[in-house]
Amino acid sequence: MLKTFIIDGDKGGVGKSLATRALVHHFLSQEEEQRPRLVVYDADLSNPDVCGEGGLRPGGGIASTALLDLSTESGWIDLGTKLAILSAAAQTAEYRIIINMPAQIGTRAFDGSIHIVSEVLREANAIPVWLLSRTQESIRALNYRLRQMPARYEAGIVVKNLFFGSADKFLLWQSDELRQRLVDEGAWLEAELPEMNDQLAVMIGRRPFHDVLATGIDGRPLPYGYRLALQSWLKRAGTALEPIEAIEAGVV
């Protein structure tokens, strides 16, 4: 079976790359016999923190990684071709594709100007994972996605990034009609991405979390206190993101 998680949020700085890397680590932490094969694509070419230099690479449970330009029709055609190959392989094994989307992709690919987008997302069994900040703009961008591609956004998960404050600070989202329609009355879930210690985030950079835990940074072990902080954060982030596996993609 093939399932794809689209890590989105449209705006820069909402935590898409961090959530992508946390989700990858969540799958890699599973027992090998239970773990799906992972394919990770980074479409944020201006700041490729996921699959750029020093980031995720194939091996250790990751089948492949690549940078993709999904602001163009050619990029979506390329993704569609990759999906065809993966779909064939997924007949005999579980595959999970994780795609880190760039900022402002809504006005470049989700506005209907690239007609193949909806078809590719359908073939991918795509699940939207929306990183939410506390601004009205973040809610409007999600609403825009739903208006443009309602069949692809029948189910998904909204992830409140606690970097922007505790969960009870997301008052605009909590009181918005969109939340009522998606979460209270619809098939969407909610989750909370815990805030990572600032100094720890700087130390790790774009290094894969599993590499940092295994070999440290530049050949030096991560200081023990920071190691404990990273392990705690990864456990909480994994628990928060785990429910996405149960979400079924839209089939229209």
Side-chain angles (χ1 to χ4, degrees):
M1 178 182 177
L2 176 73
K3 188 180 287 188
T4 302
F5 300 110
I6 305 293
I7 315 298
D8 198 2
D10 203 61
K11 304 304 176 186
V14 295
K16 297 185 296 293
S17 296
L18 188 62
T20 300
R21 296 164 61 205
L23 184 57
V24 169
H25 186 83
H26 168 67
F27 282 116
L28 292 178
S29 299
Q30 297 175 1
E31 296 294 333
E32 185 174 353
E33 59 272 14
Q34 299 175 337
R35 184 175 63 212
R37 303 202 71 189
L38 296 181
V39 174
V40 186
Y41 296 137
D42 195 346
D44 189 356
L45 301 186
S46 65
N47 189 30
D49 280 340
V50 176
C51 297
E53 184 177 356
L56 293 169
R57 290 292 180 269
I62 300 177
S64 65
T65 64
L67 298 175
L68 293 178
D69 184 0
L70 296 183
S71 66
T72 68
E73 183 179 41
S74 296
W76 284 94
I77 291 173
D78 182 28
L79 176 57
T81 301
K82 294 179 185 296
L83 285 171
I85 298 171
L86 292 171
S87 294
Q91 298 300 312
T92 57
E94 290 284 338
Y95 274 80
R96 297 295 179 265
I97 303 173
I98 303 173
I99 305 179
N100 180 50
M101 301 298 281
Q104 306 297 331
I105 191 65
T107 56
R108 291 179 285 167
F110 288 84
D111 60 354
S113 60
I114 303 178
H115 300 291
I116 193 177
V117 171
S118 183
E119 285 75 9
V120 171
L121 293 178
R122 184 187 64 239
E123 294 297 321
N125 289 321
I127 304 294
V129 179
W130 189 266
L131 270 292
L132 188 75
S133 71
R134 289 167 50 190
T135 67
Q136 191 68 50
E137 192 174 19
S138 184
I139 300 171
R140 289 197 192 103
L142 175 56
N143 202 14
Y144 181 82
R145 293 286 194 283
L146 272 83
R147 291 199 309 271
Q148 297 299 316
M149 295 185 178
R152 305 279 71 80
Y153 282 75
E154 290 181 341
I157 186 168
V158 169
V159 181
K160 291 181 281 188
N161 187 352
L162 300 190
F163 170 82
F164 298 105
S166 59
D168 61 353
K169 301 295 184 181
F170 286 74
L171 298 177
L172 291 176
W173 168 248
Q174 196 67 28
S175 61
D176 198 277
E177 178 274 335
L178 183 61
R179 183 189 181 278
Q180 179 181 348
R181 177 156 53 93
L182 295 182
V183 179
D184 293 341
E185 301 172 1
W188 280 63
L189 303 177
E190 277 185 333
E192 299 169 3
L193 183 69
E195 181 181 10
M196 179 181 284
N197 175 272
D198 289 342
Q199 187 61 34
L200 177 62
V202 171
M203 291 170 64
I204 295 174
R206 64 173 56 157
R207 297 175 181 87
F209 295 131
H210 59 280
D211 284 351
V212 172
L213 290 173
T215 62
I217 297 174
D218 297 331
R220 296 182 178 180
L222 192 65
Y224 191 64
Y226 285 108
R227 181 182 181 87
L228 291 177
L230 176 57
Q231 290 173 326
S232 173
W233 185 88
L234 288 170
K235 182 177 180 179
R236 287 178 288 132
T239 299
L241 295 172
E242 187 174 15
I244 68 175
E245 182 65 17
I247 302 173
E248 295 298 328
V251 295
V252 179

Coordinates of all heavy atoms in Angstrom, one line a residue, residues 38-127:
L38 N 10.3 4.2 3.4 CA 10.1 5.6 3.3 C 10.7 6.2 2.1 O 11.8 5.8 1.7 CB 10.7 6.3 4.6 CG 10.1 5.9 5.9 CD1 10.9 6.7 7.0 CD2 8.7 6.2 6.0
V39 N 10.0 7.1 1.5 CA 10.5 7.9 0.4 C 10.2 9.4 0.8 O 9.1 9.8 1.2 CB 9.8 7.6 -0.9 CG1 10.2 8.6 -2.0 CG2 10.0 6.2 -1.3
V40 N 11.3 10.2 0.8 CA 11.2 11.6 1.3 C 11.6 12.5 0.2 O 12.6 12.4 -0.4 CB 12.1 11.8 2.5 CG1 11.9 13.2 3.1 CG2 11.9 10.7 3.6
Y41 N 10.6 13.5 -0.1 CA 10.9 14.5 -1.1 C 10.8 15.9 -0.5 O 10.0 16.1 0.4 CB 9.8 14.4 -2.2 CG 9.8 13.2 -3.0 CD1 8.6 12.5 -3.4 CD2 11.0 12.6 -3.5 CE1 8.6 11.4 -4.1 CE2 11.0 11.4 -4.2 CZ 9.8 10.8 -4.5 OH 9.8 9.7 -5.3
D42 N 11.8 16.7 -0.9 CA 11.8 18.1 -0.4 C 11.6 19.0 -1.5 O 12.4 19.1 -2.5 CB 13.2 18.3 0.2 CG 13.3 19.6 1.1 OD1 12.3 20.4 1.0 OD2 14.2 19.8 1.8
A43 N 10.4 19.7 -1.5 CA 10.0 20.6 -2.5 C 10.4 22.1 -2.2 O 10.1 23.0 -2.9 CB 8.5 20.5 -2.8
D44 N 11.0 22.3 -1.0 CA 11.4 23.6 -0.6 C 12.8 23.9 -1.1 O 13.8 23.8 -0.3 CB 11.3 23.7 1.0 CG 11.5 25.2 1.4 OD1 11.7 26.1 0.6 OD2 11.4 25.4 2.7
L45 N 12.9 24.3 -2.3 CA 14.2 24.4 -2.9 C 15.0 25.6 -2.5 O 16.2 25.7 -2.6 CB 14.1 24.4 -4.5 CG 13.4 23.2 -5.1 CD1 13.4 23.3 -6.6 CD2 14.0 21.9 -4.6
S46 N 14.3 26.6 -1.9 CA 15.0 27.8 -1.4 C 15.6 27.6 -0.1 O 16.5 28.3 0.3 CB 14.0 29.0 -1.4 OG 13.0 28.7 -0.4
N47 N 15.1 26.6 0.7 CA 15.7 26.3 2.0 C 15.5 24.8 2.2 O 14.7 24.4 3.1 CB 15.0 27.1 3.0 CG 15.6 27.0 4.4 OD1 16.8 26.8 4.5 ND2 14.8 27.1 5.5
P48 N 16.2 23.9 1.6 CA 16.0 22.5 1.6 C 16.5 21.8 2.9 O 17.5 21.1 2.9 CB 16.7 22.0 0.4 CG 17.8 22.9 0.2 CD 17.3 24.3 0.6
D49 N 15.9 22.1 4.0 CA 16.4 21.6 5.3 C 16.1 20.1 5.5 O 16.7 19.5 6.4 CB 15.7 22.4 6.4 CG 16.3 23.7 6.7 OD1 17.4 23.9 6.3 OD2 15.6 24.6 7.3
V50 N 15.3 19.5 4.6 CA 15.0 18.1 4.8 C 15.9 17.2 4.0 O 16.6 16.3 4.5 CB 13.5 17.8 4.4 CG1 13.2 16.3 4.4 CG2 12.6 18.6 5.3
C51 N 16.1 17.5 2.7 CA 16.9 16.7 1.8 C 18.0 17.4 1.2 O 18.7 16.9 0.2 CB 16.0 16.0 0.7 SG 14.8 14.9 1.3
G52 N 18.3 18.6 1.6 CA 19.4 19.4 1.1 C 20.8 18.9 1.6 O 20.8 17.8 2.3
E53 N 21.8 19.6 1.4 CA 23.2 19.1 1.8 C 23.2 18.9 3.3 O 22.8 19.8 4.1 CB 24.2 20.2 1.4 CG 25.6 19.7 1.7 CD 26.7 20.7 1.2 OE1 26.3 21.7 0.6 OE2 27.9 20.6 1.5
G54 N 23.6 17.8 3.7 CA 23.7 17.5 5.2 C 22.4 16.9 5.7 O 22.3 16.6 6.9
G55 N 21.3 16.8 4.9 CA 20.0 16.4 5.3 C 19.9 14.9 5.1 O 20.8 14.1 5.1
L56 N 18.6 14.4 5.0 CA 18.3 13.0 4.8 C 18.8 12.4 3.6 O 18.8 13.1 2.5 CB 16.8 12.8 4.9 CG 16.1 13.2 6.2 CD1 14.6 13.2 6.1 CD2 16.5 12.1 7.3
R57 N 19.3 11.2 3.7 CA 19.8 10.4 2.5 C 19.3 9.0 2.6 O 18.9 8.5 3.6 CB 21.3 10.4 2.5 CG 22.0 11.7 2.3 CD 21.8 12.2 0.8 NE 22.4 13.5 0.5 CZ 21.7 14.6 0.6 NH1 20.5 14.7 1.1 NH2 22.4 15.8 0.3
P58 N 19.3 8.3 1.5 CA 18.8 6.9 1.5 C 19.6 6.0 2.4 O 20.8 6.3 2.6 CB 18.9 6.5 0.0 CG 18.9 7.8 -0.8 CD 19.6 8.8 0.1
G59 N 19.0 5.0 2.9 CA 19.7 4.1 3.8 C 19.0 4.0 5.2 O 18.3 5.0 5.6
G60 N 19.1 2.9 5.9 CA 18.6 2.8 7.2 C 17.1 2.9 7.3 O 16.6 3.4 8.3
G61 N 16.4 2.4 6.3 CA 14.9 2.5 6.3 C 14.4 3.5 5.3 O 13.2 3.5 5.0
I62 N 15.2 4.4 4.8 CA 14.8 5.4 3.8 C 15.2 4.8 2.4 O 16.3 4.7 2.1 CB 15.4 6.8 4.0 CG1 15.1 7.3 5.4 CG2 15.0 7.7 2.9 CD1 15.7 8.6 5.7
A63 N 14.2 4.6 1.6 CA 14.4 4.0 0.3 C 15.0 5.0 -0.7 O 15.9 4.6 -1.5 CB 13.1 3.4 -0.3
S64 N 14.5 6.2 -0.7 CA 15.1 7.2 -1.6 C 14.7 8.6 -1.1 O 13.7 8.8 -0.3 CB 14.6 7.0 -3.0 OG 13.1 7.2 -3.1
T65 N 15.5 9.6 -1.5 CA 15.2 11.0 -1.2 C 15.4 11.8 -2.5 O 16.2 11.3 -3.4 CB 16.1 11.6 -0.1 OG1 17.4 11.5 -0.6 CG2 15.9 10.8 1.2
A66 N 14.8 13.0 -2.6 CA 15.0 13.8 -3.8 C 14.5 15.2 -3.5 O 13.7 15.4 -2.7 CB 14.3 13.2 -5.0
L67 N 15.1 16.2 -4.3 CA 14.6 17.5 -4.3 C 13.6 17.6 -5.5 O 13.9 17.1 -6.6 CB 15.7 18.5 -4.5 CG 16.7 18.6 -3.3 CD1 17.8 19.5 -3.7 CD2 16.1 18.9 -2.0
L68 N 12.5 18.3 -5.3 CA 11.5 18.4 -6.4 C 11.0 19.8 -6.5 O 10.8 20.5 -5.5 CB 10.2 17.5 -6.1 CG 10.4 16.0 -6.2 CD1 9.0 15.4 -5.8 CD2 10.8 15.5 -7.5
D69 N 10.8 20.3 -7.7 CA 10.3 21.6 -7.9 C 8.8 21.5 -8.3 O 8.4 21.2 -9.4 CB 11.0 22.3 -9.1 CG 10.5 23.8 -9.3 OD1 9.6 24.2 -8.5 OD2 11.0 24.4 -10.2
L70 N 7.9 21.7 -7.3 CA 6.5 21.5 -7.4 C 5.8 22.8 -7.7 O 4.6 22.9 -7.6 CB 5.9 20.8 -6.2 CG 6.4 19.4 -6.0 CD1 5.7 18.8 -4.8 CD2 6.2 18.5 -7.2
S71 N 6.6 23.8 -8.1 CA 5.9 25.1 -8.5 C 5.7 25.1 -10.0 O 5.1 26.0 -10.5 CB 6.8 26.3 -8.2 OG 8.1 26.2 -8.9
T72 N 6.1 24.0 -10.7 CA 5.9 23.9 -12.2 C 5.2 22.6 -12.5 O 5.2 21.7 -11.8 CB 7.3 23.9 -12.9 OG1 8.0 22.7 -12.6 CG2 8.2 25.1 -12.4
E73 N 4.6 22.7 -13.7 CA 3.9 21.5 -14.2 C 4.9 20.3 -14.4 O 4.6 19.2 -14.1 CB 3.2 21.8 -15.5 CG 2.4 20.6 -16.1 CD 1.7 20.9 -17.3 OE1 2.3 21.6 -18.2 OE2 0.5 20.5 -17.5
S74 N 6.1 20.6 -14.9 CA 7.1 19.6 -15.1 C 7.4 18.9 -13.8 O 7.6 17.6 -13.8 CB 8.4 20.2 -15.7 OG 8.1 20.7 -17.0
G75 N 7.5 19.6 -12.7 CA 7.8 19.0 -11.4 C 6.7 18.0 -11.0 O 7.0 16.9 -10.5
W76 N 5.4 18.4 -11.2 CA 4.3 17.5 -10.9 C 4.3 16.3 -11.8 O 3.9 15.2 -11.4 CB 3.0 18.2 -10.9 CG 2.8 19.1 -9.7 CD1 3.2 20.4 -9.6 CD2 2.4 18.7 -8.4 NE1 2.9 20.9 -8.4 CE2 2.4 19.9 -7.6 CE3 1.9 17.6 -7.9 CZ2 2.0 19.9 -6.3 CZ3 1.5 17.5 -6.5 CH2 1.5 18.7 -5.8
I77 N 4.6 16.5 -13.1 CA 4.7 15.3 -14.0 C 5.8 14.4 -13.5 O 5.6 13.1 -13.5 CB 5.0 15.8 -15.4 CG1 3.8 16.5 -16.0 CG2 5.4 14.7 -16.3 CD1 4.0 17.2 -17.3
D78 N 7.0 14.9 -13.1 CA 8.0 14.1 -12.6 C 7.6 13.3 -11.3 O 7.9 12.1 -11.2 CB 9.2 15.0 -12.2 CG 10.4 14.2 -11.7 OD1 10.6 13.0 -12.1 OD2 11.2 14.8 -10.9
L79 N 6.8 14.0 -10.4 CA 6.3 13.3 -9.3 C 5.4 12.2 -9.7 O 5.4 11.1 -9.1 CB 5.6 14.3 -8.3 CG 5.0 13.7 -7.1 CD1 6.0 12.9 -6.2 CD2 4.3 14.8 -6.3
G80 N 4.5 12.5 -10.7 CA 3.6 11.4 -11.1 C 4.3 10.2 -11.7 O 3.9 9.1 -11.4
T81 N 5.4 10.4 -12.4 CA 6.2 9.3 -12.9 C 6.8 8.5 -11.7 O 6.8 7.3 -11.8 CB 7.3 9.8 -13.8 OG1 6.7 10.6 -14.9 CG2 8.1 8.7 -14.4
K82 N 7.3 9.2 -10.7 CA 7.9 8.5 -9.6 C 6.8 7.7 -8.9 O 7.1 6.6 -8.4 CB 8.5 9.5 -8.6 CG 9.8 10.3 -9.2 CD 10.3 11.3 -8.1 CE 11.4 12.1 -8.7 NZ 12.6 11.3 -9.0
L83 N 5.6 8.3 -8.8 CA 4.5 7.6 -8.1 C 4.2 6.3 -8.8 O 3.8 5.3 -8.1 CB 3.3 8.5 -8.0 CG 3.4 9.6 -7.0 CD1 2.2 10.6 -7.2 CD2 3.4 9.1 -5.6
A84 N 4.2 6.3 -10.1 CA 3.9 5.1 -10.8 C 4.8 3.9 -10.5 O 4.4 2.8 -10.3 CB 3.9 5.4 -12.3
I85 N 6.1 4.3 -10.4 CA 7.1 3.3 -10.0 C 6.9 2.8 -8.6 O 6.9 1.6 -8.3 CB 8.5 3.8 -10.1 CG1 8.8 4.2 -11.6 CG2 9.6 2.9 -9.7 CD1 10.0 5.0 -11.8
L86 N 6.6 3.7 -7.7 CA 6.4 3.4 -6.3 C 5.1 2.6 -6.1 O 5.0 1.7 -5.2 CB 6.4 4.6 -5.4 CG 7.7 5.4 -5.3 CD1 7.5 6.7 -4.6 CD2 8.7 4.5 -4.5
S87 N 4.1 2.9 -6.8 CA 2.8 2.2 -6.7 C 3.0 0.7 -7.1 O 2.4 -0.2 -6.5 CB 1.7 2.9 -7.6 OG 1.4 4.1 -7.2
A88 N 3.8 0.5 -8.1 CA 4.0 -0.9 -8.5 C 4.8 -1.6 -7.3 O 4.4 -2.8 -7.0 CB 4.9 -1.0 -9.8
A89 N 5.8 -1.0 -6.7 CA 6.5 -1.6 -5.6 C 5.6 -1.8 -4.4 O 5.8 -2.7 -3.6 CB 7.7 -0.7 -5.3
A90 N 4.6 -0.9 -4.2 CA 3.7 -0.9 -3.1 C 2.7 -2.1 -3.2 O 2.0 -2.3 -2.2 CB 3.0 0.4 -2.9
Q91 N 2.7 -2.8 -4.2 CA 1.8 -3.9 -4.3 C 2.2 -5.1 -3.4 O 1.4 -5.9 -3.0 CB 1.7 -4.5 -5.8 CG 1.2 -3.5 -6.8 CD -0.2 -3.0 -6.5 OE1 -1.1 -3.9 -6.2 NE2 -0.4 -1.7 -6.5
T92 N 3.5 -5.1 -3.1 CA 4.1 -6.1 -2.2 C 4.7 -5.6 -0.9 O 5.2 -6.4 -0.1 CB 5.1 -6.9 -3.0 OG1 6.1 -6.1 -3.4 CG2 4.5 -7.6 -4.2
A93 N 4.6 -4.3 -0.7 CA 5.2 -3.7 0.5 C 4.6 -2.4 0.9 O 4.0 -1.8 0.0 CB 6.7 -3.5 0.3
E94 N 4.6 -2.1 2.1 CA 4.1 -0.8 2.6 C 5.1 0.4 2.3 O 6.3 0.3 2.6 CB 3.8 -0.8 4.1 CG 2.6 -1.7 4.5 CD 1.3 -1.1 4.1 OE1 1.2 0.2 4.0 OE2 0.3 -1.8 4.0
Y95 N 4.6 1.4 1.6 CA 5.4 2.6 1.3 C 4.7 3.8 1.9 O 3.5 3.9 1.8 CB 5.6 2.7 -0.2 CG 6.8 2.0 -0.8 CD1 6.6 0.6 -1.1 CD2 8.0 2.6 -1.0 CE1 7.7 -0.1 -1.6 CE2 9.0 1.9 -1.5 CZ 8.9 0.5 -1.8 OH 9.9 -0.2 -2.3
R96 N 5.5 4.7 2.4 CA 5.0 6.0 2.8 C 5.9 7.1 2.2 O 7.1 7.1 2.4 CB 5.1 6.1 4.4 CG 4.2 5.2 5.1 CD 2.7 5.4 4.8 NE 1.8 4.5 5.5 CZ 1.4 3.3 4.9 NH1 1.7 3.0 3.7 NH2 0.6 2.5 5.6
I97 N 5.3 8.0 1.5 CA 6.0 9.1 0.9 C 5.7 10.3 1.8 O 4.6 10.6 2.2 CB 5.5 9.4 -0.5 CG1 5.7 8.1 -1.4 CG2 6.2 10.6 -1.1 CD1 5.0 8.3 -2.8
I98 N 6.7 11.1 2.1 CA 6.6 12.3 2.9 C 7.2 13.4 2.1 O 8.3 13.4 1.7 CB 7.4 12.1 4.2 CG1 6.8 10.9 5.0 CG2 7.2 13.4 5.1 CD1 7.6 10.6 6.3
I99 N 6.3 14.4 1.8 CA 6.7 15.6 1.0 C 6.7 16.9 1.8 O 5.7 17.3 2.3 CB 5.8 15.7 -0.3 CG1 5.8 14.4 -1.1 CG2 6.3 16.8 -1.2 CD1 4.9 14.4 -2.3
N100 N 7.8 17.5 1.9 CA 7.9 18.8 2.5 C 7.7 19.9 1.5 O 8.4 20.1 0.5 CB 9.3 19.0 3.1 CG 9.5 20.3 3.8 OD1 8.7 20.7 4.6 ND2 10.6 21.1 3.5
M101 N 6.6 20.6 1.6 CA 6.2 21.6 0.7 C 6.8 23.0 1.0 O 7.1 23.3 2.1 CB 4.7 21.8 0.7 CG 3.9 20.5 0.4 SD 4.3 19.9 -1.3 CE 3.2 20.9 -2.3
P102 N 7.0 23.8 -0.1 CA 7.6 25.1 0.1 C 6.6 26.2 0.5 O 5.4 26.0 0.5 CB 8.2 25.4 -1.3 CG 7.2 24.8 -2.2 CD 6.8 23.5 -1.5
A103 N 7.1 27.3 0.9 CA 6.2 28.5 1.2 C 5.6 29.0 -0.1 O 6.2 28.8 -1.2 CB 7.0 29.6 1.9
Q104 N 4.4 29.5 0.0 CA 3.7 30.2 -1.1 C 3.4 29.2 -2.2 O 3.1 29.6 -3.3 CB 4.5 31.3 -1.7 CG 4.9 32.4 -0.6 CD 3.7 33.1 0.0 OE1 2.7 33.2 -0.6 NE2 3.9 33.5 1.3
I105 N 3.3 27.9 -1.9 CA 3.0 26.9 -3.0 C 1.5 27.1 -3.4 O 1.1 26.7 -4.5 CB 3.3 25.5 -2.5 CG1 3.2 24.5 -3.7 CG2 2.4 25.1 -1.4 CD1 4.2 24.7 -4.8
G106 N 0.7 27.6 -2.6 CA -0.7 27.8 -2.9 C -1.0 28.6 -4.1 O -1.9 28.3 -4.9
T107 N -0.2 29.7 -4.3 CA -0.4 30.5 -5.4 C 0.3 30.1 -6.7 O 0.2 30.7 -7.7 CB 0.0 32.0 -5.1 OG1 1.4 32.0 -4.6 CG2 -0.9 32.6 -4.0
R108 N 1.1 29.0 -6.5 CA 1.9 28.5 -7.6 C 1.4 27.1 -8.1 O 1.7 26.8 -9.3 CB 3.4 28.4 -7.2 CG 4.1 29.7 -7.0 CD 5.5 29.6 -6.6 NE 5.6 29.1 -5.2 CZ 6.7 28.7 -4.7 NH1 7.8 28.5 -5.5 NH2 6.8 28.3 -3.4
A109 N 0.7 26.4 -7.3 CA 0.3 25.1 -7.7 C -1.1 24.7 -7.3 O -1.7 23.8 -7.9 CB 1.3 24.0 -7.2
F110 N -1.6 25.3 -6.3 CA -2.9 24.9 -5.8 C -4.0 25.9 -6.1 O -5.1 25.9 -5.5 CB -2.8 24.7 -4.2 CG -2.1 23.5 -3.8 CD1 -0.7 23.6 -3.7 CD2 -2.7 22.3 -3.5 CE1 0.0 22.5 -3.3 CE2 -2.0 21.2 -3.1 CZ -0.7 21.3 -3.0
D111 N -3.8 26.7 -7.1 CA -4.8 27.7 -7.6 C -5.5 27.2 -8.8 O -6.3 28.0 -9.4 CB -4.1 29.0 -7.8 CG -3.1 29.0 -8.9 OD1 -2.8 27.9 -9.4 OD2 -2.5 30.0 -9.3
G112 N -5.3 26.0 -9.3 CA -5.9 25.5 -10.4 C -5.2 25.7 -11.7 O -5.6 25.2 -12.8
S113 N -4.1 26.4 -11.7 CA -3.3 26.7 -12.9 C -2.5 25.5 -13.4 O -2.2 25.4 -14.6 CB -2.4 27.9 -12.7 OG -1.5 27.7 -11.7
I114 N -2.2 24.6 -12.5 CA -1.5 23.4 -12.9 C -2.5 22.2 -12.8 O -2.7 21.7 -11.7 CB -0.2 23.1 -12.0 CG1 0.7 24.3 -12.1 CG2 0.5 21.8 -12.5 CD1 2.0 24.1 -11.3
H115 N -3.1 21.9 -13.9 CA -4.3 21.0 -13.8 C -4.0 19.6 -13.3 O -4.9 18.9 -12.9 CB -5.0 20.9 -15.2 CG -5.4 22.3 -15.6 ND1 -6.5 23.0 -15.0 CD2 -4.9 23.1 -16.6 CE1 -6.6 24.1 -15.7 NE2 -5.7 24.2 -16.6
I116 N -2.7 19.2 -13.4 CA -2.4 17.8 -13.1 C -2.3 17.6 -11.6 O -2.3 16.4 -11.1 CB -1.0 17.4 -13.8 CG1 -0.8 15.9 -13.7 CG2 0.1 18.2 -13.1 CD1 0.5 15.4 -14.4
V117 N -2.2 18.6 -10.8 CA -2.0 18.5 -9.4 C -3.0 17.6 -8.7 O -2.6 16.7 -7.9 CB -1.9 19.9 -8.7 CG1 -1.9 19.8 -7.2 CG2 -0.8 20.7 -9.2
S118 N -4.2 17.8 -8.9 CA -5.3 17.0 -8.2 C -5.1 15.6 -8.6 O -5.3 14.7 -7.7 CB -6.7 17.6 -8.6 OG -7.7 16.8 -7.9
E119 N -4.8 15.3 -9.9 CA -4.7 13.9 -10.3 C -3.5 13.2 -9.6 O -3.6 12.1 -9.2 CB -4.6 13.8 -11.8 CG -5.9 14.1 -12.6 CD -6.3 15.5 -12.6 OE1 -5.5 16.4 -12.2 OE2 -7.5 15.8 -13.0
V120 N -2.4 14.0 -9.5 CA -1.2 13.4 -8.9 C -1.5 13.1 -7.4 O -1.1 12.0 -6.9 CB 0.0 14.3 -9.1 CG1 1.2 13.8 -8.2 CG2 0.4 14.4 -10.5
L121 N -2.1 14.0 -6.7 CA -2.5 13.8 -5.3 C -3.4 12.6 -5.1 O -3.3 11.9 -4.1 CB -3.1 15.1 -4.7 CG -2.2 16.3 -4.6 CD1 -2.9 17.5 -4.1 CD2 -0.9 16.0 -3.8
R122 N -4.3 12.4 -6.1 CA -5.2 11.3 -6.0 C -4.4 10.0 -6.1 O -4.6 9.0 -5.3 CB -6.3 11.3 -7.0 CG -7.3 10.2 -6.9 CD -8.2 10.2 -8.1 NE -7.6 9.9 -9.4 CZ -7.6 10.8 -10.4 NH1 -8.3 11.9 -10.3 NH2 -7.0 10.5 -11.5
E123 N -3.5 9.9 -7.1 CA -2.7 8.7 -7.3 C -1.8 8.5 -6.1 O -1.4 7.3 -5.8 CB -1.8 8.9 -8.6 CG -2.6 8.9 -9.9 CD -3.4 7.6 -10.1 OE1 -2.8 6.6 -9.8 OE2 -4.6 7.7 -10.6
A124 N -1.4 9.6 -5.4 CA -0.5 9.4 -4.3 C -1.2 9.0 -3.0 O -0.5 8.7 -2.0 CB 0.2 10.8 -4.0
N125 N -2.5 8.9 -3.0 CA -3.3 8.7 -1.8 C -2.8 9.7 -0.7 O -2.4 9.4 0.4 CB -3.1 7.3 -1.2 CG -3.8 6.3 -2.1 OD1 -4.9 6.5 -2.6 ND2 -3.2 5.1 -2.3
A126 N -2.9 11.0 -1.1 CA -2.3 12.1 -0.4 C -3.1 12.5 0.8 O -4.3 12.6 0.8 CB -2.1 13.3 -1.2
I127 N -2.5 12.6 2.0 CA -3.0 13.1 3.2 C -2.4 14.5 3.6 O -1.2 14.6 3.7 CB -2.7 12.1 4.4 CG1 -3.2 10.7 4.1 CG2 -3.4 12.7 5.7 CD1 -4.7 10.6 4.0

